[in-house]
Each structure stands twice: as C-alpha cells, then as structure tokens.
Amino acid sequence: MTQLTGRPTIDDDVVHLTVPADGGYLGVLRTATAGLAARLQFALDEIEDLRIAVDEACAMLLAIATRDAELDCRFAVTDDALGVEVTVPTVRGATLPSESSFAWKVLTALTTDASATASDGRATISLLTRRSSGW
C-alpha cells in the first residue's frame, strides 16, 4: 500500500474516519485534522490552514454526493507531513469544480499539494501538507 507521498505506509500512521456526508459532521474531520497536525508539531497557522483546506475539500464533495452518502477520510501521518484523502460516492454526471475555480485556488494556497479524481461513481480529493522546517 502507498500513501499520498508515494512512500510505503509501513512505518506511518494511518487514521481512517467515515462520517455521514452532511455539513453537520465536518467538525469531526476538522478536529481530527487539527489534532493530527498538532501531533506533527505544525505551527498554529499551518494547522488552521489545513483545517480550512479539509473543510473546503469536503464542501466540494458534499455538493456532488449521493443521498445518504458517507465521507470516507483517510489521514496519512509521516515524520514531516500530513496527507488527507477524502472520498464520496457521487451522483450520476457529477463533476468537481475546475482547477481554475476559487475553491481550488484556496486548496492550492493552503496546502503543499492538492489533486482530485472522479471515476466509477466516486470522487476523491487528496491534500498533502508538509510541516515548515522552522519549528
């Protein structure tokens, strides 16, 4: 198995959360994001940026999720980075916002890397944030 940075996950921590695809549950994912980033000793502003990015990614996915869907969120923790991958089943014909959209500008400004895929009735947004070296 490979993680978001492309390295094996054998020595890494992986946290997997599944919540209903409903805005009322996004606080759970934001809290998990902040807790894991704090564990990596991210700076406070980096933690907040990552929380906002996860919230924005989830909002994009909620807009195209099927009824009664679940958000599947996978956090990959390495020595210096936190990868977040959020997946949801989508309604037929759904598309993610264009990479030139405001939502994507937010994601790319707040993370080290952001990407998305959509196929077989599922959409996934992957985020990677590396801790700044000045801690």
Side-chain angles (χ1 to χ4, degrees):
M1 180 156 97
T2 355
Q3 64 155 22
L4 298 172
T5 59
R7 297 189 324 239
T9 58
I10 295 169
D11 296 327
D12 301 330
D13 292 330
V14 176
V15 176
H16 189 178
L17 292 173
T18 302
V19 298
D22 179 294
Y25 291 93
L26 296 185
V28 173
L29 298 180
R30 287 190 301 265
T31 301
T33 301
L36 292 169
R39 180 175 177 222
L40 285 169
Q41 299 179 349
F42 276 48
L44 289 176
D45 59 332
E46 292 172 317
I47 293 171
E48 189 58 25
D49 287 352
L50 191 52
R51 283 171 38 113
I52 293 167
V54 167
D55 195 56
E56 190 66 37
C58 290
M60 278 193 249
L61 293 175
L62 289 179
I64 59 173
T66 59
R67 186 173 184 186
D68 299 324
E70 292 182 325
L71 279 171
D72 185 36
C73 190
R74 181 178 167 270
F75 299 90
V77 181
T78 66
D79 289 338
D80 67 344
L82 179 60
V84 182
E85 187 175 271
V86 186
T87 302
V88 70
T90 61
V91 296
R92 184 176 303 221
T95 58
L96 288 162
S98 136
E99 290 187 12
S100 63
S101 70
F102 178 74
W104 274 105
K105 300 286 185 206
V106 170
L107 290 182
T108 57
L110 298 176
T111 61
T112 305
D113 186 49
S115 63
T117 59
S119 65
D120 299 326
R122 295 191 71 76
T124 301
I125 296 178
S126 300
L127 308 172
L128 178 68
T129 298
R130 295 196 183 284
R131 181 184 63 226
S132 65
S133 58
W135 59 279

